[in-house]
Amino acid sequence: MREPLYTPGAGRVPPELVGRDAVLERWTGTLSTARGAAHLPKDVVHTGPPGAGRTVLLGRALELAAGEGYRVLRVDGRPGAWLRDALAPELATLGLRLDLLDADETAALAERVARLPGFLAEVLTDLAGVDGEGRGLVVGIDDLHLVDPEEAGRLGVAVELMETPPDAPVLLVATGGPDTWERLRGDGLRPVNDHPEKWFDLRPLPALSEEEASRALQRPAERVGVRWEPEAVELVVATADGHPGRLQSAAAAVWALGSGTDPVTAAHARQALRSVELPAP
């Protein structure tokens, strides 16, 4: 049995990130052009089913933002009083670290952020440009679809109200499930946000191509001196059907049947794929 190489499970970074180059290149362009732009682009929400690599993509997007000199803040989506209990504490922590807030001010921050979109806009703007450094701020939100529509709506209003200086923009980048748009609008009996597209640009994550999935299997193995037989690659790629989570789960099961630097064979693939539990596509 070999040492684990592939990474099944939510939020785990794969040994070879594939199929997201175009998404990340577009994001890098946004980071570059936002500074100095007269009008900021819409904030981006990348959507996909569980296992599509949303959390990994968000982490990489925030790494790129930090590399471009932005301050970054990451928060997970969840039901309930999200602005008060999730976003506000992260804002307070960053504000304390930058000496923008003192301990007394942070005590009242949560309630004001939750109730007053204009105040939230001010806090975000201040964090983006504190010390006059003109760095800007990127807020990353994972699982936006879990946030109650009313809470997401207040965040959207705050985005509309922000008047950031050109050299210190505030950008939001989020991930969400396939139902994110419906969640943002609210239920049919009680619609909350009729036009969330005013605030967010929804971008479904594409499935992996066969070439991308093959590369995700073979390149990590090649780095440790192991070769995948072509038929084994075909079997795993077909089973994954373009889904990153299924690909990692299937690859890990097949990989575990081998030993040392022996090739990964079609026999390994058939045996493992008969019993492995895969995420839903």
Side-chain angles (χ1 to χ4, degrees), residues 235-261:
L235 288 167
V236 173
V237 168
T239 298
D241 194 25
H243 187 280
R246 289 173 65 87
L247 183 71
Q248 291 298 314
S249 294
V254 175
W255 177 260
L257 294 180
S259 176
T261 57

Side-chain angles (χ1 to χ4, degrees), residues 228 231-233 235-236 239 250 254 257 264-274:
W228 279 72
E231 188 178 354
V233 172
L235 288 167
V236 173
T239 298
V254 175
L257 294 180
V264 180
T265 67
H268 291 147
R270 292 192 189 93
Q271 180 182 344
L273 295 177
R274 280 196 293 267

Side-chain angles (χ1 to χ4, degrees), residues 129-187:
V130 67
D131 298 332
E133 294 181 9
R135 293 180 60 178
L137 173 69
V138 173
V139 179
I141 305 170
D142 202 12
D143 292 334
L144 181 62
H145 62 286
L146 297 180
V147 176
D148 289 344
E150 294 89 346
E151 297 279 296
R154 292 190 188 99
L155 176 64
V157 172
V159 169
E160 282 191 299
L161 293 174
M162 279 190 295
E163 296 181 2
T164 58
D167 63 341
V170 177
L171 303 174
L172 272 64
V173 58
T175 68
D179 62 341
T180 298
W181 228 224
E182 289 73 19
R183 287 283 301 155
L184 289 176
R185 286 197 175 100
D187 60 49

Side-chain angles (χ1 to χ4, degrees), residues 189-256:
L189 298 176
R190 189 173 50 89
V192 176
N193 309 308
D194 289 336
H195 301 288
E197 61 272 14
K198 291 186 301 183
W199 309 314
F200 304 115
D201 182 5
L202 192 73
R203 298 180 189 171
L205 290 173
L208 301 182
S209 69
E210 290 185 1
E211 185 277 329
E212 290 165 343
S214 297
R215 183 155 35 99
L217 294 179
Q218 295 181 83
R219 282 193 177 176
E222 289 169 357
R223 288 196 286 266
V224 295
V226 177
R227 181 179 64 86
W228 279 72
E229 290 185 353
E231 188 178 354
V233 172
E234 291 174 6
L235 288 167
V236 173
V237 168
T239 298
D241 194 25
H243 187 280
R246 289 173 65 87
L247 183 71
Q248 291 298 314
S249 294
V254 175
W255 177 260

Side-chain angles (χ1 to χ4, degrees), residues 3-242:
E3 288 294 316
L5 179 63
Y6 302 95
T7 53
R12 299 186 65 196
V13 179
E16 184 80 13
L17 182 61
V18 299
R20 302 296 178 249
D21 289 350
V23 174
L24 292 170
E25 285 174 12
R26 187 174 180 181
W27 170 243
T28 300
T30 297
L31 293 171
S32 299
T33 59
R35 289 193 179 113
H39 301 286
L40 292 179
K42 286 184 183 178
D43 295 306
V44 179
V45 183
H46 296 289
T47 64
R54 301 185 316 236
T55 298
V56 170
L57 178 68
L58 180 64
R60 184 67 184 126
L62 294 180
E63 288 175 5
L64 291 170
E68 290 288 331
Y70 285 82
R71 296 187 174 96
V72 298
L73 185 153
R74 178 171 180 160
V75 60
D76 292 331
R78 64 189 191 198
W82 177 77
L83 289 168
R84 185 192 69 200
D85 297 338
L87 180 59
E90 296 295 337
L91 294 173
T93 298
L94 183 57
L96 284 169
R97 181 158 57 84
L98 297 174
D99 292 326
L100 180 66
L101 301 170
D102 59 34
D104 292 334
E105 289 172 317
T106 61
L109 179 72
E111 291 299 333
R112 294 189 69 190
V113 162
R115 290 186 295 104
L116 303 170
F119 179 71
L120 174 56
E122 289 179 17
V123 172
L124 291 170
T125 302
D126 289 345
L127 289 172
V130 67
D131 298 332
E133 294 181 9
R135 293 180 60 178
L137 173 69
V138 173
V139 179
I141 305 170
D142 202 12
D143 292 334
L144 181 62
H145 62 286
L146 297 180
V147 176
D148 289 344
E150 294 89 346
E151 297 279 296
R154 292 190 188 99
L155 176 64
V157 172
V159 169
E160 282 191 299
L161 293 174
M162 279 190 295
E163 296 181 2
T164 58
D167 63 341
V170 177
L171 303 174
L172 272 64
V173 58
T175 68
D179 62 341
T180 298
W181 228 224
E182 289 73 19
R183 287 283 301 155
L184 289 176
R185 286 197 175 100
D187 60 49
L189 298 176
R190 189 173 50 89
V192 176
N193 309 308
D194 289 336
H195 301 288
E197 61 272 14
K198 291 186 301 183
W199 309 314
F200 304 115
D201 182 5
L202 192 73
R203 298 180 189 171
L205 290 173
L208 301 182
S209 69
E210 290 185 1
E211 185 277 329
E212 290 165 343
S214 297
R215 183 155 35 99
L217 294 179
Q218 295 181 83
R219 282 193 177 176
E222 289 169 357
R223 288 196 286 266
V224 295
V226 177
R227 181 179 64 86
W228 279 72
E229 290 185 353
E231 188 178 354
V233 172
E234 291 174 6
L235 288 167
V236 173
V237 168
T239 298
D241 194 25

